[in-house]
PDB file of all heavy atoms in Angstrom:
ATOM      1  N   ALA A 143      71.939 133.998 121.329  1.00 62.00           N
ATOM      2  CA  ALA A 143      71.479 135.338 121.736  1.00 62.00           C
ATOM      3  C   ALA A 143      70.150 135.650 121.095  1.00 62.00           C
ATOM      4  O   ALA A 143      70.096 136.171 120.000  1.00 62.00           O
ATOM      5  CB  ALA A 143      72.519 136.372 121.313  1.00 62.00           C
ATOM      6  N   SER A 144      69.051 135.329 121.758  1.00 57.00           N
ATOM      7  CA  SER A 144      67.753 135.540 121.133  1.00 57.00           C
ATOM      8  C   SER A 144      67.387 137.016 121.180  1.00 57.00           C
ATOM      9  O   SER A 144      67.713 137.711 122.127  1.00 57.00           O
ATOM     10  CB  SER A 144      66.684 134.699 121.821  1.00 57.00           C
ATOM     11  OG  SER A 144      66.554 135.153 123.137  1.00 57.00           O
ATOM     12  N   GLY A 145      66.722 137.467 120.117  1.00 52.00           N
ATOM     13  CA  GLY A 145      66.238 138.848 120.079  1.00 52.00           C
ATOM     14  C   GLY A 145      67.231 139.811 119.495  1.00 52.00           C
ATOM     15  O   GLY A 145      66.898 140.672 118.700  1.00 52.00           O
ATOM     16  N   LYS A 146      68.474 139.659 119.845  1.00 60.00           N
ATOM     17  CA  LYS A 146      69.491 140.587 119.337  1.00 60.00           C
ATOM     18  C   LYS A 146      70.026 140.081 118.005  1.00 60.00           C
ATOM     19  O   LYS A 146      69.664 139.024 117.521  1.00 60.00           O
ATOM     20  CB  LYS A 146      70.642 140.643 120.334  1.00 60.00           C
ATOM     21  CG  LYS A 146      70.311 141.406 121.580  1.00 60.00           C
ATOM     22  CD  LYS A 146      71.628 141.842 122.217  1.00 60.00           C
ATOM     23  CE  LYS A 146      71.484 142.039 123.708  1.00 60.00           C
ATOM     24  NZ  LYS A 146      72.579 141.439 124.430  1.00 60.00           N
ATOM     25  N   GLY A 147      70.940 140.813 117.461  1.00 62.00           N
ATOM     26  CA  GLY A 147      71.690 140.303 116.321  1.00 62.00           C
ATOM     27  C   GLY A 147      72.726 139.356 116.867  1.00 62.00           C
ATOM     28  O   GLY A 147      72.700 138.983 118.037  1.00 62.00           O
ATOM     29  N   SER A 148      73.673 138.987 116.011  1.00 64.00           N
ATOM     30  CA  SER A 148      74.617 138.006 116.501  1.00 64.00           C
ATOM     31  C   SER A 148      76.043 138.524 116.566  1.00 64.00           C
ATOM     32  O   SER A 148      76.948 137.804 116.957  1.00 64.00           O
ATOM     33  CB  SER A 148      74.525 136.740 115.669  1.00 64.00           C
ATOM     34  OG  SER A 148      73.884 137.021 114.466  1.00 64.00           O
ATOM     35  N   GLY A 149      76.224 139.768 116.150  1.00 75.00           N
ATOM     36  CA  GLY A 149      77.463 140.456 116.454  1.00 75.00           C
ATOM     37  C   GLY A 149      78.738 139.892 115.879  1.00 75.00           C
ATOM     38  O   GLY A 149      79.764 139.890 116.536  1.00 75.00           O
ATOM     39  N   VAL A 150      78.704 139.417 114.627  1.00 80.00           N
ATOM     40  CA  VAL A 150      79.929 138.929 114.009  1.00 80.00           C
ATOM     41  C   VAL A 150      80.595 140.072 113.255  1.00 80.00           C
ATOM     42  O   VAL A 150      79.942 140.848 112.576  1.00 80.00           O
ATOM     43  CB  VAL A 150      79.617 137.752 113.044  1.00 80.00           C
ATOM     44  CG1 VAL A 150      80.866 137.304 112.323  1.00 80.00           C
ATOM     45  CG2 VAL A 150      78.998 136.608 113.817  1.00 80.00           C
ATOM     46  N   LEU A 151      81.908 140.171 113.397  1.00 79.00           N
ATOM     47  CA  LEU A 151      82.639 141.277 112.775  1.00 79.00           C
ATOM     48  C   LEU A 151      83.876 140.736 112.066  1.00 79.00           C
ATOM     49  O   LEU A 151      84.643 139.964 112.646  1.00 79.00           O
ATOM     50  CB  LEU A 151      83.068 142.277 113.868  1.00 79.00           C
ATOM     51  CG  LEU A 151      84.005 143.417 113.469  1.00 79.00           C
ATOM     52  CD1 LEU A 151      83.251 144.472 112.675  1.00 79.00           C
ATOM     53  CD2 LEU A 151      84.630 144.055 114.706  1.00 79.00           C
ATOM     54  N   ASP A 152      84.059 141.118 110.798  1.00 79.00           N
ATOM     55  CA  ASP A 152      85.298 140.763 110.094  1.00 79.00           C
ATOM     56  C   ASP A 152      85.732 141.939 109.244  1.00 79.00           C
ATOM     57  O   ASP A 152      85.147 142.243 108.206  1.00 79.00           O
ATOM     58  CB  ASP A 152      85.098 139.519 109.213  1.00 79.00           C
ATOM     59  CG  ASP A 152      86.426 139.043 108.592  1.00 79.00           C
ATOM     60  OD1 ASP A 152      87.411 139.809 108.630  1.00 79.00           O
ATOM     61  OD2 ASP A 152      86.457 137.923 108.066  1.00 79.00           O
ATOM     62  N   THR A 153      86.758 142.633 109.719  1.00 80.00           N
ATOM     63  CA  THR A 153      87.294 143.754 108.949  1.00 80.00           C
ATOM     64  C   THR A 153      88.801 143.583 108.767  1.00 80.00           C
ATOM     65  O   THR A 153      89.537 144.553 108.663  1.00 80.00           O
ATOM     66  CB  THR A 153      86.979 145.096 109.650  1.00 80.00           C
ATOM     67  OG1 THR A 153      87.377 144.995 111.017  1.00 80.00           O
ATOM     68  CG2 THR A 153      85.509 145.433 109.595  1.00 80.00           C
ATOM     69  N   GLU A 154      89.217 142.313 108.713  1.00 79.00           N
ATOM     70  CA  GLU A 154      90.655 142.054 108.496  1.00 79.00           C
ATOM     71  C   GLU A 154      91.009 142.330 107.037  1.00 79.00           C
ATOM     72  O   GLU A 154      90.234 142.046 106.138  1.00 79.00           O
ATOM     73  CB  GLU A 154      90.960 140.577 108.795  1.00 79.00           C
ATOM     74  CG  GLU A 154      90.841 140.198 110.253  1.00 79.00           C
ATOM     75  CD  GLU A 154      91.696 141.064 111.160  1.00 79.00           C
ATOM     76  OE1 GLU A 154      92.903 141.186 110.886  1.00 79.00           O
ATOM     77  OE2 GLU A 154      91.152 141.629 112.124  1.00 79.00           O
TER      78      GLU A 154
END
Side-chain angles (χ1 to χ4, degrees):
S144 64
K146 286 201 206 135
S148 18
V150 176
L151 172 74
D152 186 346
T153 50
E154 291 305 308

